Amino acid sequence: MVNIILFGPPGSGKGTQSANLIQKYGLIHLSTGDLLRSEIGAQTPLGMEAKKVMDQGQLVPDEVVIGMISSKLDANPEARGFIFDGFPRTSAQAEALDKLLALKKTSIAAVLSLEVPEDELIKRLLNRGLTSGRSDDASEEIVKARIVEYHNKTAPVADHYAKYGKFKKIKGNGSIDEIFSLLSKEIDELVSEKV
Ligand code: AMP
């Protein structure tokens, strides 16, 4: 199995790149943001609770997203590997993920971190808000709150994986194709190590 975390702040391109990478490598895309939005779409109690927090640009509780990831891992026993997008977002989530993967006799191969300057992130997110219908992209205040949340709670996840030599920065501004080839180069190496 090759399991990769696509890491980076909101608006760094994780969703766009994940969609292309799963096609190329036959991996399964696990985005906690997408999973939460589908709960919201289905108007489940979990979705309704999560929406309140998401609309303030804050993180939903760890146990909620860890539970979602755990059931997706169980639901895909034959997977060649996973791309985690938007998860883990706290140190507690990273520790839980490591344990869940260890139970399945696997681990994270690499954390690829898309590096994008902050003014560019804000521009991209507000732009996406014009077409995505996402309420958490709609105002500069919420977008900035998400970036603050990222610095306070998510950035430590980088240190967690850097300790194991698994953290790698990737230039995240440029064309989609250019960034895709930088990511592919890293993943090709990981895949060839597994053969
Ligand atoms: P995303 O689509 O990854 O930008 O996530 C949108 C929103 O969903 C975030 O701002 C959080 O409110 C929530 N969310 C997504 N993933 C997580 C996570 N791993 N932990 C906590 N909250 C999350």
Side-chain angles (χ1 to χ4, degrees):
M1 263 197 174
V2 178
N3 302 306
I4 288 150
I5 296 173
L6 211 49
F7 193 74
S12 57
K14 301 185 298 293
T16 305
Q17 294 296 336
S18 296
N20 295 337
L21 291 168
I22 54 163
Q23 300 265 355
K24 177 163 181 184
Y25 295 98
L27 302 171
I28 291 179
H29 182 199
L30 291 185
S31 154
T32 39
D34 287 352
L35 293 171
L36 289 165
R37 281 184 289 277
S38 82
E39 295 282 337
I40 294 173
Q43 301 197 334
T44 63
L46 187 156
M48 295 300 91
E49 275 307 300
K51 182 169 167 40
K52 291 185 209 155
V53 184
M54 290 163 76
D55 280 350
Q56 292 172 28
Q58 287 166 3
L59 295 185
V60 306
D62 286 337
E63 56 275 17
V64 173
V65 285
I66 292 167
M68 288 177 143
I69 289 290
S70 174
S71 42
K72 286 289 169 188
L73 292 177
D74 287 344
N76 290 285
E78 305 298 327
R80 298 173 66 180
F82 296 91
I83 293 197
F84 296 94
D85 158 8
F87 181 90
R89 259 182 161 99
T90 63
S91 300
Q93 290 177 25
E95 281 162 23
L97 177 62
D98 291 350
K99 285 192 187 133
L100 288 171
L101 293 176
L103 287 173
K104 301 195 180 300
K105 309 262 178 286
T106 184
S107 61
I108 291 298
V111 179
L112 304 177
S113 173
L114 293 170
E115 306 285 315
V116 178
E118 198 149 309
D119 53 344
E120 171 74 14
L121 293 175
I122 295 171
K123 214 163 57 188
R124 285 187 191 179
L125 288 166
L126 291 175
N127 212 15
R128 186 170 74 185
L130 298 175
T131 54
S132 69
R134 276 182 59 166
S135 41
D136 60 346
D137 285 340
S139 86
E140 186 155 347
E141 195 190 334
I142 302 173
V143 159
K144 285 190 171 157
R146 284 159 65 201
I147 295 175
V148 168
E149 197 78 330
Y150 173 81
H151 286 304
N152 290 341
K153 298 187 183 157
T154 307
V157 172
D159 300 333
H160 174 87
Y161 289 103
K163 263 191 324 224
Y164 304 108
K166 291 183 175 175
F167 185 79
K168 175 110 197 179
K169 291 184 180 176
I170 306 285
K171 185 171 88 81
N173 55 338
S175 73
I176 292 177
D177 288 348
E178 189 189 332
I179 298 159
F180 182 67
S181 33
L182 294 173
L183 290 166
S184 295
K185 197 167 140 264
E186 296 296 328
I187 299 176
D188 284 342
E189 280 176 28
L190 296 168
V191 171
S192 67
E193 282 167 18
K194 290 270 165 189
V195 175

